[in-house]
Amino acid sequence: MDPTPAPGGAPLRRTLTTGKIVFLVVAAAAPMSGMVGSVPLAFALGNGAGVPAAFVLAGLTLLCFSVGYAAMSRRIVSTGGFYAYIAHGLGRPAAVGAGLVAVIAYNAAVVGVAGAFGYFAELVASSYGLRLPWTVWAALGVALMGFMGYRRIDLSARLLAVLMIAEVAVLVLLAAAVVWRHGAAAFPAAAAEPGVVFAPGLGVALMFSLISYVGFEAAALYGEETPNPRRSVPLATYLSVVLITVFFAAVSWAAVGAVGVDRLTKVAGARLGDLFFDLAKGYVGGWMTGAMQVLLCTSLFGAMLGLHNAANRYLYVLGRERVLPARLGAVHPRHGSPHLAGLVQTAVTAVVCAAFALAGLHPYVNLATSMLGLGTVGIVVLQGAVTVSVAAFFRRRPDRHWWRSAVAPLLALIGLSAALVLLLGNFPIVTGTTSPLVNLLPWLLVPAAAAGAGQALWLRARRPARYAALARNAETAGQVRPAVPEPATEPVPEPVAEPDTRPITGPITGPITGPVPEPVHESVHAVEA
């Protein structure tokens, strides 16, 4: 059986390697902007010198999340990400609700980063004598984002690789300069003492730490675009969490050593966004401050492009399954990209930015903080839902495992639930405003989830065939190109029957009963334990 193309085009191209997925994912976390923007706030408002340990704790929480997430990705291949995984664990009504939440969260995150990009690009350019309003810079960034998203995904991966390597290299150079001057004292042992790590403010530090990981979970969205998704997606997820954790913990620890444990909170509170620029000038030279300012802008653009690619894949998969307009499920015949979904996402970003500009609102204080706050809350909610879905999916399966399908998801759920409580309780700190209108934004996700669940229930009652097709595994549903076969050690058996396409009338809480053989031209993989 030939793969069934998405409406309006061929299936998505399988052009992404594990490394390219890692660049797409880590770039969305924006190492430079996270270090310059979030870490000083965590120093000032959180547990001070204990912030590096907070990144380690956040990383361990998300590694526990990744264990179950990776186990699901070995069994379910789909561009749907959270949407697909929740469907196979908690049922289709919950999945459609989660899909709409994901659309809102990722689109809000893109809009927020676009506002931050416009603001900082205006500041940096004006310091060199080029004075243009933030709206011009935001428009240029959004236009380039839309162009890259329209074309083949591996082109975005290559550009993001260059940008990410540059920003990481500069911050590693700064840390190395601190070590060169202070030696072992660059990493003071006091920062790891329990009294420092668990000091008042740890919760706020954990909140800012987790914000720095937003986007790492997007690896699963590229499952239909990599030759070996059952290997590449889990590996890219683990690598992304480890790289982000090591990077933020090491560089922030060096900053503690550079400023001093006792002085850190006061200095960070006074300097905030200038803290790392001051360190760069003092330890390396003025040229590095200029380089970091430019790389801050490229870091924000990288985050914007990475989140754009994630957002348009949610629009694409929900369009392909006609939860949203079917045209969104079109694939470009030459580039193999979800081009119409990308154009819609670009238009949404441009319209929201224009609306804030016309209202005379600040691109960072009003636009960036509110939209990024909304996006972060939505993504953490979805991560928590996936941990529950993992446990439900494996509950009745013979390949369940006490760690991968029970204990690790439970630990992740505890950590993510605490993070959500912290985010909602400290939302005015995240957004930087006490406006009731802004601080009620996260509650928009509730009616979105309810509307999605209601739509799924309506489909189940009125359109059972469409309902049964929601969130099917893309490989067994024939929605992707065949994966590149692995070297065979024994003959691949011929299929003995046509695929079972009977509707599944209830939520998928375990394995689909009855054999569903894969097409003869696809490689046959044993389910990994």
Side-chain angles (χ1 to χ4, degrees):
M1 182 178 72
D2 294 330
T4 303
L12 297 170
R13 293 182 184 276
R14 290 185 178 272
T15 58
L16 294 179
T17 62
T18 302
K20 289 177 180 177
I21 295 176
V22 170
F23 284 125
L24 285 166
V25 169
V26 177
M32 177 66 78
S33 57
M35 192 64 66
V36 171
S38 295
V39 171
L41 281 171
F43 284 151
L45 303 176
N47 57 346
V51 166
F55 275 105
V56 174
L57 293 173
L60 291 174
T61 298
L62 294 177
L63 278 175
C64 288
F65 168 83
S66 300
V67 169
Y69 198 62
M72 290 282 277
S73 71
R74 292 189 180 99
R75 292 154 179 83
I76 300 165
V77 176
S78 174
T79 292
F82 290 139
Y83 162 72
Y85 292 174
I86 291 172
H88 286 265
L90 301 180
R92 295 183 179 95
V96 177
L100 295 186
V101 169
V103 167
I104 293 173
Y106 279 96
N107 276 276
V110 177
V111 171
V113 176
F117 171 80
Y119 171 69
F120 284 106
E122 178 186 13
L123 288 181
V124 172
S126 63
S127 68
Y128 291 96
L130 181 58
R131 302 187 182 280
L132 294 172
W134 74 268
T135 49
V136 173
W137 294 109
L140 291 173
V142 170
L144 182 57
M145 174 194 78
F147 173 78
M148 296 299 297
Y150 189 89
R151 299 180 66 82
R152 290 170 49 180
I153 184 65
D154 56 326
L155 295 179
S156 293
R158 292 170 187 169
L159 175 61
L160 292 176
V162 173
L163 299 180
M164 194 193 78
I165 289 172
E167 60 188 276
V168 169
V170 166
L171 287 168
V172 169
L173 177 60
L174 172 60
V178 175
V179 173
W180 179 265
R181 183 177 300 184
H182 296 289
F187 301 107
E193 292 178 356
V196 174
V197 175
F198 296 99
L202 173 61
V204 175
L206 282 171
M207 177 185 71
F208 282 111
S209 300
L210 287 167
I211 288 173
S212 300
Y213 289 83
V214 166
F216 91 93
E217 72 291 328
L221 294 174
Y222 305 108
E224 295 182 29
E225 297 170 82
T226 179
N228 190 353
R230 288 183 171 85
R231 179 182 182 276
S232 294
V233 170
L235 184 56
T237 301
Y238 283 126
L239 284 174
S240 300
V241 175
V242 171
L243 289 172
I244 293 170
T245 301
V246 170
F247 172 78
F248 275 97
V251 177
S252 63
W253 199 1
V256 174
V259 178
V261 173
D262 297 332
R263 300 175 57 243
L264 182 66
T265 299
K266 181 178 180 180
V267 172
R271 302 305 297 159
L272 289 179
D274 289 327
L275 176 64
F276 279 89
F277 295 136
D278 293 345
L279 292 176
K281 184 177 181 179
Y283 281 85
V284 181
W287 68 267
M288 190 173 183
T289 300
M292 286 179 64
Q293 290 172 342
V294 173
L295 288 172
L296 173 61
C297 297
T298 63
S299 175
L300 289 166
F301 175 77
M304 186 164 57
L305 180 56
L307 291 167
H308 166 76
N309 284 322
N312 66 30
R313 274 150 183 79
Y314 277 111
L315 290 169
Y316 160 76
V317 78
L318 293 178
R320 184 173 72 184
E321 302 195 347
R322 293 190 290 171
V323 172
L324 295 177
R327 290 289 293 167
L328 293 174
V331 175
H332 195 282
R334 182 157 60 93
H335 300 307
S337 63
H339 61 303
L340 294 184
L343 290 175
V344 168
Q345 201 292 308
T346 302
V348 168
T349 304
V351 168
V352 175
C353 287
F356 272 76
L358 291 172
L361 298 174
H362 195 276
Y364 190 79
V365 174
N366 300 124
L367 174 58
T369 57
S370 61
M371 292 295 102
L372 284 171
L374 173 60
T376 301
V377 169
I379 290 170
V380 172
V381 167
L382 292 168
Q383 289 173 346
V386 167
T387 61
V388 178
S389 183
V390 168
F393 176 75
F394 285 102
R395 183 180 56 183
R396 297 177 183 175
R397 289 177 61 97
D399 55 345
R400 64 184 180 273
H401 185 273
W402 67 271
W403 170 248
R404 287 192 295 270
S405 55
V407 176
L410 176 61
L411 293 174
L413 180 62
I414 293 171
L416 291 168
S417 298
L420 180 61
V421 171
L422 288 168
L423 279 168
L424 294 175
N426 295 282
F427 203 69
I429 296 177
V430 176
T431 60
T433 178
T434 57
S435 167
L437 183 62
V438 171
N439 292 317
L440 287 174
L441 281 175
W443 299 105
L444 291 175
L445 302 174
V446 176
Q455 182 181 5
L457 293 173
W458 182 87
L459 287 172
R460 186 170 68 182
R462 301 295 183 91
R463 302 287 189 272
R466 279 177 56 189
Y467 179 81
L470 294 176
R472 296 293 294 271
N473 191 331
E475 286 193 338
T476 58
Q479 292 168 329
V480 296
R481 297 176 185 273
V484 173
E486 297 176 353
T489 57
E490 58 183 12
V492 178
E494 296 286 335
V496 296
E498 290 294 320
D500 184 354
T501 58
R502 292 173 296 173
I504 303 166
T505 57
I508 305 173
T509 57
I512 299 173
T513 57
V516 185
E518 299 196 6
V520 65
H521 57 259
E522 294 192 358
S523 59
V524 176
H525 297 275
V527 175
E528 298 177 37

